[in-house]
Amino acid sequence: MIPAPARRRRRRSRTRLRPVRLRGGALTAALAVGLAGCGGTTIESAGSGSEPGGGSECGQLDLAVNPWVGYEANAAVVAEVAETELGCQVTKKDLKEEVSWQGFGTGEVDAIVENWAHEDLKEQYVEEQKTAVEAGPTGGTGIIGWWVPPWLARKHPDITDWRNLNRYAPMFRTSESGGKGQLLDGDPSFVTNDEALVKNLGLDFEVVYAGSEAALITAFRKAEAERTPLIGYFYAPQWFMSEVPLVKVDLPPHTEGCDAEPEKVACDYPEYELDKIMGREFAESGSPAVELIRNFRWTNDDQNVVARYIAEDKMSPEDAAKKWIADNPEKVQAWLP
Amino acid sequence: MGAVTAPTATASAAAPSPAQAAVSVRGLWKVFGPGARSVPTDPAARALSRRELLEQRGCTAAVRDVGFDVAPGEVFVVMGLSGSGKSTLVRCLTRLVEPTAGQVLLEGEDLLAADDRRLRELRRHSFAMVFQHFGLLPHRRVLDNVSYGLEIAGTGKAQRRRRAQEVVDLVGLSGYEAAYPHQLSGGMQQRVGLARALAGDPGLLFLDEPFSALDPLIRREMQNEVVRLHREVGTTMVFVTHDLREALRLGDRILIMRDGRPVQCAPGDELLGAPADDYVRDFVREVPRAGVLTLRWIMRPPAADDPLDGPELGPDVVVREATRAVLAADRPVKVVADGRLLGIVGHDEILSIVADAEQVG
Amino acid sequence: MAVAAPPAPSPPAPSPATSSAVGRRRPRRALLAVGVVGAWVLLWVLLQGRDTLFLSPATLTPLHRRLNELADAVSAGRDSSPVFLYGVDLVRAGLDAFVGGVQDLLARPSGGRPVPAVGWLGVVAVATWLATALGNLRVGALTAAGLVLLGLQGLWTESMDTLALTLSAVALCLLIGVPLGVWAGLSPRVHRLLTPVLDFLQTMPTFVYLAPLTLFFLIGPASATVATLLYALPPVVRLTAHGVRSVPPSVVEASTSLGATGPQRLRGVLLPMSTRTIALGVNQTIMAALSMVTVAALIDAPGLGRTVLKALQTLDVGVAFNAGLAIVVLAIVLDRTTTAASERAQTRPDRSRRSARLRRPALLVGAVAAGAAVLLSRTYLWAAQFPSVVGGTDIGIGDDVARTADSVTGLVQEHLSGITGGLKDAVTLFLLNPFEELLTGSPWYVVLTALVCLSALAGGARAAVTTAVGLALVIGTGLWFDAMTTLASTVLATLVVMALGLVVGVWMGRSRRADAVLRPLLDAGQTLPAFVYLVPFLALFGASRFTAITAAVVYAAPVAIKIVADGIRSVPATTVEAATALGSTRWQVVRAVQLPMAGRSLALAANQGVIFVLSMVVVGGLVGAGALGYDVVAGFSQGELYGKGLAAGAAIVLLGSVLDRVTQAAARRAGPDAHAA
């Protein structure tokens, strides 16, 4: 029932509605009087509380919100700062990554505030179509790899070395893996080399595509709760890590160029420097929000705090952001233009 | 029993000449299926039976080379069993089905030459049709169903309501104006169909088995209704039926069809008295003849020993009406037209017909 | 103007199935089918693993790359192409204005005020009045209760967003669909042309065109509306065409004989007489639109779908269920209202009844009251925004619903996951794996030949040709292996759906009480967004093909059950009476009378079951089914895989068409047998 903040700040038009006096049929009047008698705040008096707070030089800011909680944390904090400190009208748009990048070209998205590599998209939109520009790192580091639930790592400490995986393969068999060990893959948003890895490392595993983040998390949650074996593809930062701190399996270390040819990959995933992307038009608009987004920088830990507020404490993203901002004024101050 | 007057002569006497006919049909064909157009012009195909045509050419000839004339004010009945092509024939006359070949003149106008606009004009103002399954609009009340044709023709609302009320009264539906069709019995529904057809005041009415879906009692009542309407309004009617009794009751002349071909076209008494072939003979066998046959068809030439001083009757007197007079007389009745003796009718002739009628029913 | 001709008497079909032949033919065909399968198994043993056309999830074929390039070209031409600048952009602007207008009215702050033009009280009052006027008092009450429930769930704004989007899309569907349907109803040729297009729209997974749509119509309501429109259009077109075609020819002929022009016939006869069927189409279109609006949340469509998806990110089953329940409530309200409206359109009001006489003045009073409510809702805050607290007590039930859902799923997971895991393993091991292995492990030419032969046996020569062409095209998509994997799960799911359809459908068809109890559950199964139950299902069965099959069954079984129940109920009472009078047991009546006579409904149920199962393939991809579903989902998420996703979508459509045609042909074949029996 709370009007969206962006709308609330919009100046009300000149047509000020006065409380309507009903003079119609006797029935109508009676009804109106009867109900109004219950006492009611008119919309006029309620509306006057929400006038715009800051200056208006910032204007409109369209933030893409990609579908994971860590991103939501970034977006919530950037939006809250942009609104309260810069007086921007922020609109958040719930979009998948691919669609967000498209949005730069159509002018519908101004910024993406947590980007996981996506070299292909960078090539297409930054290099070729020139509709997007990079806006620097978020400070977070993305780690992709194979993980096991903590109980398993405690029970079999050597399982975190890939060389021992074949020994444990029979333990990971499921109805889906056809006699081999199951390697649960597949948030479809992430690029995976896992089939090549299994093959090139000579592992007795079968990649099974779970198909969604929800499926992965549910599987890990269940595995930890019921003490069942599971190994799967996952990534950090992710709010779920604070609920069940998965343990990463070490694959052969990543070296520059070891993953150049997808079919021949036999090394771990690189660590990603998470970064921000802006629409070219927006980047050149001179809005103070451009500086804010360029300057926005925090750590995985900061993000995990906000993400936990949202995912586990069930706070709204706005409230979670407010709380963190109140606790970390000096970090916020450093981002302001 | 040799007829004194040739039956064919009687029939042609009743038929109008094409020029003055309300409807004049010549060489009408309707063929369904591939290559339909070529059938009427191909002598080999024309000669084939319906079944052969289907087997050899894959097409169905519903109407084959039909021709007749209907006089103004006449009730002309087309009769045949199902599949005889009678319904297709009447649809060709209104171009609800496009004929394959032939000529149809309505009051001298070439119907097949009419373009869409003219055809609609004719349908709106010159002729109308009544259907076996009524074809009423279930979402409209009786009065609105009756005035539907007028509405289509663009008649003003007040005028069409007035006219609709007139026809509703005419067909005996007064009091049911606001009912929906499904609230009426079958007979009442067909009255609505009749009223709808009459509303445009057409000169010509086509009725396609209008009473076949009704109960026998209601059917009889509706037949009387048609007789009454015909008397009052005088519209020319082309009436399609598969019921010979109905045909005999209503028709001035009857066209019997079989497998799409005309078999015989004659007044009812002639059909009974001088069936053209075994098919017609079989067909008319079960009908109570006394009410249809006239003395013309049962009289015999006087023999040498016949006394010729009995009472006189005309040749067109129906047997049933003559029965009492013939049986009351102690000598044969003379059948006389224009002072000329055509033949005589005795007890034997009358009794053979009347006894037959009692057997039938 | 074409004169409506009676159908040309078709030559007596040279049907092989004369009644005497039927008896002998049936077992012979079954025997042949067994033979085909036997040969297939034999060849599988000999040639196992050869020529299976396997393609790993990350690999692309040249076709997939070309499709990628095509999508890039479209994206690059966005700002320069005149097609966009003058065509698509204008359409988009129009759509945005239209949908925005409806949203202003119901859902979002508008006119410079912090609230929508009409507040909750106004919406409830107007909707109730409309439901009463179009339907009856009962659906009016249902509407009021349903809408208030939405408010109590704390989802008023979201619900109104969903409603606004649904209504806009439905309005456009009708604007386009009814004329199209009339056209298809009048012209058999248009009908033939349109049918495959409609099939395509209904089976092509939304995910495939969701992302490209945003290229054309940008992110937001316009794209969401177009996506919804595409998905929801087919039912209204189909049913309108059906309605127009089934107007009795006698009435059409009568109107022609009176000299009606084409438009006069349309307005006076065809449309009024097919109102009921069209209303049924509207009903189904609304249901389809509602389910699509949820998915459209992926491209920033506002409303309940967004709540569901957000909850899915944190695996918050309770919140997702609360929002899903709101969608079910909306669906039930809209469904019952439109159904009641279509029934009213069919039955003529009987003026003489007292209640009918009172109706008009009552509606008038209702209209005045609704008007007053609208005014109030424009004036006072309590009538504009749904209050969460009344007299100091919290009246919201959203949290309670969420908590209850959470604890129930928690309990179920805790106690059942052992059993469910065993069930999953058993079904997978003994049913799914062997079947899938046969389809995916045999060389493609063996599978293709076997399937064509089986289609020929089931549906005749034309079905065989359809299968051959369809499967050849599947090979062309480069996704044969995935398609066969998906086919295995689809067939299994359809069999379960049919089994449920038979058992529950017969039960519902014979018992009014069972019907009354089960129908709302079926409605929920059909309209509850799959996203809501994905998480609990995952917890019970893990990420597996079995989970996907279960989800598909939940979605597809209600349709099959409803169709079977309707079929059983439409068996004439006299026939059942006659059978009972002959001393049949209840089981004999079902087996020998009701099922055979409902043969057409059974066939239709199987057919719709297959289509509905296929439309869940993508959801299956989200829970571990892999194969085509995963290809589509991955294509939606990763630019590089877009072309492959598109190809996978096409493969799903192809499978759908083949299964649809073959089941229909088989049903037609079985038809006469069923009646002869």
Side-chain angles (χ1 to χ4, degrees), chain A residues 115-133:
Chain A
N115 173 55
W116 287 63
H118 284 305
E119 295 305 328
D120 56 324
L121 293 175
K122 278 185 185 165
E123 193 182 313
Q124 185 181 350
Y125 292 99
V126 179
E127 307 291 328
E128 285 168 18
Q129 295 190 12
K130 301 196 189 305
T131 52
V133 293

Side-chain angles (χ1 to χ4, degrees), chain B residues 32 54 60 91 95-98 116 120 123-124 129 131 133 135-141 148-149 152 180 182 196, chain C residues 1 3-6 8-9 11-12 250-251 253-261 264 268-269 272-273 348-349 351:
Chain B
F32 294 103
L54 180 61
T60 312
R91 278 170 176 71
R95 274 182 66 189
L96 286 173
V97 168
E98 228 28 81
D116 279 355
R120 272 203 301 274
R123 284 173 175 165
R124 287 174 182 182
M129 192 156 168
F131 297 87
H133 297 293
L136 301 181
L137 298 171
H139 55 285
R140 285 169 169 243
R141 295 165 193 283
Y148 178 61
I152 283 174
Y180 283 100
H182 76 262
R196 179 177 63 185
Chain C
M1 200 63 247
V3 177
S250 63
V251 187
E253 207 176 32
S255 119
T256 310
S257 83
L258 289 165
T261 60
Q264 280 175 334
V269 179
M273 287 188 69
R348 300 287 137 211
R351 283 282 169 82

Side-chain angles (χ1 to χ4, degrees), chain A residues 1 3-4 7 11-13 15 17 19-20 22 27-28 31-32 35-36 39-44 46-47 65-69 72 92-99 102-103 105-106 108-109 120-121 124-125 129 175-176 182 184 186-192 195 208-215 217-218 221-222 226 239 310-311 314, chain C residues 54 56-58 72 75-76 78-79 108-109 111-115 121 156-157 211 214-215 218-219 297-300 306 310 312-316 365 368-369 372 375-382 384-386 413 417 424-425 428 433 535 538-546 621-626 630 633-634 636-640:
Chain A
M1 274 301 60
R7 309 278 175 200
R11 283 188 183 283
R12 281 181 295 113
S13 72
T15 52
L17 285 171
V20 186
L22 299 159
L27 175 79
T28 320
L31 233 155
L35 289 171
T41 324
T42 62
I43 290 168
E44 282 311 287
V65 178
N66 291 170
W68 58 88
V69 180
E72 178 115 39
K92 292 193 216 164
K93 298 187 173 172
D94 291 311
L95 301 167
K96 286 281 236 177
E97 300 98 294
E98 179 77 17
V99 181
Q102 281 176 13
T106 58
E108 297 216 290
V109 172
D120 56 324
L121 293 175
Q124 185 181 350
Y125 292 99
Q129 295 190 12
S175 66
E176 306 304 294
Q182 169 181 280
L184 193 63
D187 180 335
S189 297
F190 286 88
V191 179
T192 150
E195 286 197 34
V208 171
Y209 290 87
S212 59
E213 191 182 68
I217 296 179
T218 312
R221 186 183 266 172
K222 191 175 170 191
E226 296 173 10
W239 65 269
I310 297 172
K314 313 258 184 220
Chain C
F54 176 75
S56 88
D72 290 350
S75 152
R78 178 79 189 69
D79 287 331
R108 65 181 190 193
R113 298 152 25 110
V115 290
L121 190 68
W156 181 262
T157 308
T214 62
L215 276 180
L218 305 188
I219 295 151
L298 288 166
I299 49 171
D300 203 43
R306 204 185 274 182
K310 285 253 181 219
L312 195 64
Q313 282 169 29
T314 56
L315 273 60
D316 194 334
V365 172
V368 173
L375 285 178
L376 280 177
S377 80
R378 291 179 57 79
T379 313
Y380 294 105
L381 205 56
W382 63 265
Q385 301 185 341
F386 201 93
Q413 281 166 27
S417 72
K424 174 198 77 172
D425 288 343
T428 311
N433 279 352
V535 172
L538 281 167
L540 286 175
F541 307 116
S544 65
R545 288 160 292 161
F546 185 83
L622 293 171
V623 293
Y630 180 81
V633 174
F636 176 64
S637 307
Q638 293 178 39
E640 275 172 71

Side-chain angles (χ1 to χ4, degrees), chain A residues 132-147:
Chain A
V133 293
E134 298 188 46
T138 64
T141 309
I143 303 162
I144 295 180
W146 296 358
W147 310 69

Side-chain angles (χ1 to χ4, degrees), chain A:
Chain A
M1 274 301 60
I2 306 153
R7 309 278 175 200
R8 201 193 309 156
R9 281 176 175 75
R10 188 178 290 162
R11 283 188 183 283
R12 281 181 295 113
S13 72
R14 286 124 280 150
T15 52
R16 300 192 132 246
L17 285 171
R18 321 223 344 264
V20 186
R21 303 261 174 267
L22 299 159
R23 296 201 195 84
L27 175 79
T28 320
L31 233 155
V33 169
L35 289 171
C38 307
T41 324
T42 62
I43 290 168
E44 282 311 287
S45 57
S48 57
S50 47
E51 285 300 300
S56 56
E57 55 174 326
C58 172
Q60 185 78 23
L61 171 62
D62 291 321
L63 281 184
V65 178
N66 291 170
W68 58 88
V69 180
Y71 188 111
E72 178 115 39
N74 286 26
V77 170
V78 170
E80 188 63 27
V81 174
E83 284 189 340
T84 52
E85 302 293 333
L86 307 178
C88 308
Q89 296 176 13
V90 182
T91 307
K92 292 193 216 164
K93 298 187 173 172
D94 291 311
L95 301 167
K96 286 281 236 177
E97 300 98 294
E98 179 77 17
V99 181
S100 318
W101 284 77
Q102 281 176 13
F104 291 138
T106 58
E108 297 216 290
V109 172
D110 291 332
I112 291 172
V113 293
E114 180 177 298
N115 173 55
W116 287 63
H118 284 305
E119 295 305 328
D120 56 324
L121 293 175
K122 278 185 185 165
E123 193 182 313
Q124 185 181 350
Y125 292 99
V126 179
E127 307 291 328
E128 285 168 18
Q129 295 190 12
K130 301 196 189 305
T131 52
V133 293
E134 298 188 46
T138 64
T141 309
I143 303 162
I144 295 180
W146 296 358
W147 310 69
V148 291
W151 77 267
L152 197 60
R154 276 196 304 276
K155 191 167 173 207
H156 307 287
D158 62 343
I159 206 170
T160 58
D161 187 333
W162 70 271
R163 276 170 288 246
N164 301 324
L165 283 179
N166 271 349
R167 203 148 42 82
Y168 292 106
M171 183 167 80
F172 292 110
R173 251 184 243 153
T174 69
S175 66
E176 306 304 294
S177 60
K180 298 179 181 176
Q182 169 181 280
L183 174 64
L184 193 63
D185 239 73
D187 180 335
S189 297
F190 286 88
V191 179
T192 150
N193 305 325
D194 287 357
E195 286 197 34
L197 276 168
V198 166
K199 198 167 127 218
N200 299 333
L201 295 177
L203 297 177
D204 193 20
F205 278 78
E206 172 87 18
V207 177
V208 171
Y209 290 87
S212 59
E213 191 182 68
L216 281 174
I217 296 179
T218 312
F220 276 118
R221 186 183 266 172
K222 191 175 170 191
E224 177 66 10
E226 296 173 10
R227 297 288 187 265
T228 47
L230 182 72
I231 180 166
Y233 177 104
F234 211 67
Y235 31 79
Q238 220 294 352
W239 65 269
F240 178 65
M241 288 288 187
S242 60
E243 180 188 325
V244 178
L246 302 177
V247 180
K248 190 167 182 297
V249 174
D250 294 320
L251 294 173
H254 180 86
T255 53
E256 188 65 33
C258 74
D259 54 359
E261 274 184 77
E263 288 89 50
K264 298 194 179 150
V265 177
C267 60
D268 208 343
Y269 293 88
E271 290 198 350
Y272 294 100
E273 192 177 61
L274 305 184
D275 60 352
K276 300 155 289 185
I277 312 290
M278 284 191 280
R280 175 172 294 276
E281 233 173 86
F282 170 72
E284 291 164 359
S285 68
S287 159
V290 174
E291 277 308 294
L292 169 68
I293 290 169
R294 270 193 213 287
N295 296 343
F296 169 76
R297 217 184 145 90
W298 63 356
T299 63
N300 278 7
D301 289 340
D302 290 323
Q303 191 196 61
N304 281 340
V305 170
V306 180
R308 201 163 48 236
Y309 289 158
I310 297 172
E312 279 168 43
D313 304 343
K314 313 258 184 220
M315 290 167 73
S316 74
E318 290 78 25
D319 293 343
K322 281 199 182 91
K323 187 164 152 76
W324 185 87
I325 289 168
D327 294 344
N328 298 277
E330 73 294 345
K331 285 188 183 167
V332 174
Q333 208 53 44
W335 304 335
L336 294 177

Side-chain angles (χ1 to χ4, degrees), chain B residues 305-321:
Chain B
D305 57 342
D306 278 327
L308 289 176
D309 51 353
E312 291 182 7
L313 285 172
D316 294 324
V317 176
V318 179
V319 170
R320 183 179 290 148
E321 284 160 15

